[in-house]
Structures are given as C-alpha cells and as structure tokens.
Amino acid sequence: MAAVFRDHLLQDKRAVITGGGSGINLRIAERFAEHGAQLGLIGRNQEKLDQAVAGITSKGGRAMGFSADVRDYAALESALKTFKDTVGEIDIVVCGAAGNFPAPALGMSANGFKAVIDIDVLGTFNTCRAAYQFLRKPGASIVNISATHAFSPIAFQAHVCAAKAGVDMLTRTLALEWGQPGVRVNSIAPGPIDETEGMKRLGPTPEIRKKITQSIPLRRFGTKDEIADLALFLCSEAAGYITGAVFVCDGGQSLAGSSGLMAALSLS
Ligand code: COA
C-alpha cells in the first residue's frame, strides 16, 4: 500500500480538465500539477486559459491550454488528440465545464434551458466519448463535476438540477460500460463552495452569507481546495476500486434538502 502514500500521487500522469481556466476546475488543475501531473486545460476563453497555464508553469508545473467549446464535438476531439499526440495516452479526465444563471422556469427561454443542458450533459458526454479512444486502459479515471442540485431541487435552477441529474446518470452508465476495460468514472457533487463565481452571485452580502452558513450543518462554506483534494483522491491509486459513485462534498447541507438555502436566498 506504500504507493498510495507517495508525495506525488499523480506523478507523470496526463490529465485533461474542461473548464480548467477558472474556479474549482483551475484549483483541481493546480492540485494535480503539484502532484506531478501534466495538464491539458480546455476552455472557451483563451485569455483565461493563458493565465491559468502561466500560473501553473510559474510554479514549476506542466500545462497546456486548448481553446474549444465542449458542445462542439469535433473541436473537442481535435484538442484531445493534440494533447495525446504531444504528451501520450491520457490517464485522467475531469469534466468540469458548466453553465449557470439564476432564473425562474418561466423566466428562461427554451434556448436558455438548452444552453445549460448542452454545456453540462452533452458537454460531459462529448468529453468522455471523445477522450475514450485516447485513454490509457486499464487505469484511467474520469471525474465529472456535478452538484447537489442533482438530487436536491432548488428554485430558479431548473436547468442546472436537470443537467446535474443527467451528469450523475451518465457517470453511472459509463462506469458500467467502461469498467471492464479498466476505466473508472465518478462524480463529485460540491455544495456551497467559497470564492466561486456561483457563490459570489448567490451570496453577495455578509447578511446573505451568514444565512447560507446557518443552513450548513458544518456552519461554513467549503473551499476549492477541499474539492481539489477529493478529485485528487478519486484520480489516485487510493481510489482504485471506486467507480460509478457520486461523492457529495457540501458540509452536510443537502441532508436537509434545499429549504434552508432557499430561505437564506429568500426564494421560498
Ligand atoms: N436569465 C435568463 N436567460 C438567460 C440568462 C439569464 N440570466 N443568461 C442567459 N440566458 C439565455 C439567453 O437569453 C439565451 O436564450 P435566448 O436565445 O432565448 O435569448 C440562452 O440563455 C443562451 O445564452 P447565450 O449567452 O447565447 O449562451 P452561451 O452559450 O454563450 O452561455 C450560459 C451559456 C448562458 C450558461 C452562460 O451563463 C455562461 O456561459 N456562463 C459561464 C459559465 C458559468 O456559468 N459558470 C458557472 C458554472 S456553476
């Protein structure tokens, strides 16, 4: 078991992260780089990717950026192929690209609903489907970034709730289909994570932040580092027998449903 406790849990592993230019996904990328992985970051915004790559390489990490929209299968496949041709077979894929905006169901158009479904569900499918051919098998690990919305409905988030439920079922289905060739597929469902774009929008004032905090059993927001550490675990040998699982990381908030959060946000 000594291997599990190495300092560099992902030494020389090749990892692709969609949405890797910012937020939780960037923190996952930074953590993976600290643990020796070579990174391919995929995103829509070239400037964000360039900044993310510069930040990682300035600390001695290895990273490349690829501009592609996860809704565009051909562009995604081309980015993944270039990464694989440059560094070798891919060991890790994190599907983190996601869309969100708060709106009541009657306040979002069919196209608004579709935009989030397309980024989250189709984008995750596209990434997994296109990456499969380039994965090292056995041994590859895929982590899909979901949310507690997948099982705990919340007002003004119909599109995200539907999308994340779809992402988690995709995780389970792919884990079934790809277990035999030795590819593990798991989801992480973060709850309220501090310093993310979503939390900045949801909790813009100290008063609202205080109310949200009171709805969390652990009485604090989670950190991006805590999600990155969970992703690191899932992509390491320590998680070698785990597949098809959804890991909730939310300080216990979803245990009581979303009514506390909705009250904090004055949505109920
Ligand atoms: N309320 C209601 N509808 C909205 C909206 C809002 N706040 N923001 C976007 N929409 C609608 C648009 O009006 C459009 O519908 P329409 O054509 O009927 O007018 C539809 O969503 C698509 O908008 P568009 O800006 O063209 O989509 P996009 O693909 O460029 O952006 C989003 C996708 C909408 C998810 C956008 O919010 C986004 O890219 N966000 C960045 C990523 C993000 O949210 N990260 C956080 C993840 S937790």
Side-chain angles (χ1 to χ4, degrees):
M1 290 301 288
V4 168
F5 298 105
R6 282 188 311 230
D7 286 346
H8 289 85
L9 293 175
L10 306 181
Q11 191 60 49
D12 296 327
K13 302 277 188 194
R14 291 108 186 198
V16 170
I17 303 181
T18 67
S22 61
I24 287 174
N25 302 314
L26 174 56
R27 188 59 54 85
I28 292 172
E30 290 165 346
R31 180 67 87 257
F32 284 10
E34 288 160 17
H35 279 265
Q38 193 160 5
L39 294 161
L41 308 183
I42 296 180
R44 278 190 291 172
N45 184 323
Q46 187 66 52
E47 203 181 315
K48 273 194 199 170
L49 288 175
D50 291 344
Q51 278 175 12
V53 167
I56 289 169
T57 52
S58 72
K59 290 180 191 140
R62 293 172 291 172
M64 284 174 250
F66 299 93
S67 177
D69 189 320
V70 292
R71 293 170 286 190
D72 180 344
Y73 187 88
L76 197 55
E77 187 175 46
S78 167
L80 290 161
K81 184 174 187 313
T82 305
F83 183 66
K84 183 255 176 189
D85 288 345
T86 310
V87 303
E89 282 182 322
I90 299 168
D91 301 284
I92 294 165
V93 178
V94 176
C95 297
N100 195 357
F101 56 83
L106 294 178
M108 73 177 78
S109 66
N111 199 41
F113 186 86
K114 182 176 181 296
V116 171
I117 297 290
D118 281 357
I119 297 170
D120 290 27
V121 185
L122 183 64
T124 300
F125 173 79
N126 283 347
T127 307
C128 295
R129 168 83 168 76
Y132 184 85
Q133 63 199 307
F134 306 128
L135 294 181
R136 184 192 307 280
K137 298 181 270 295
S141 171
I142 296 174
V143 171
N144 297 326
I145 305 300
S146 175
T148 51
H149 296 59
F151 55 88
S152 183
I154 179 160
F156 286 48
Q157 293 277 273
H159 46 357
V160 178
C161 292
K164 295 305 191 183
V167 167
D168 285 350
M169 282 311 287
L170 197 52
T171 290
R172 297 182 179 105
T173 311
L174 296 181
L176 274 178
E177 292 194 19
W178 296 351
Q180 195 277 332
V183 177
R184 297 185 297 108
V185 190
N186 294 291
S187 278
I188 293 176
I193 304 300
D194 214 358
E195 291 174 19
T196 55
E197 208 35 57
M199 266 306 129
K200 280 178 201 158
R201 273 183 246 160
L202 272 184
T205 66
E207 291 73 29
I208 297 177
R209 281 180 62 86
K210 193 173 168 203
K211 282 188 193 165
I212 294 174
T213 304
Q214 283 163 351
S215 77
I216 305 168
L218 288 182
R219 294 293 190 273
R220 66 170 178 86
F221 287 81
T223 67
K224 289 188 270 193
D225 283 323
E226 286 167 327
I227 303 298
D229 285 339
L230 179 52
L232 175 66
F233 163 67
L234 285 174
C235 294
S236 75
E237 290 172 28
Y241 201 51
I242 298 175
T243 195
V246 176
F247 282 77
V248 176
C249 186
D250 71 343
Q253 189 186 51
S254 60
L255 291 171
S258 56
S259 54
L261 180 61
M262 289 202 293
L265 300 175
S266 302
L267 296 179
S268 55

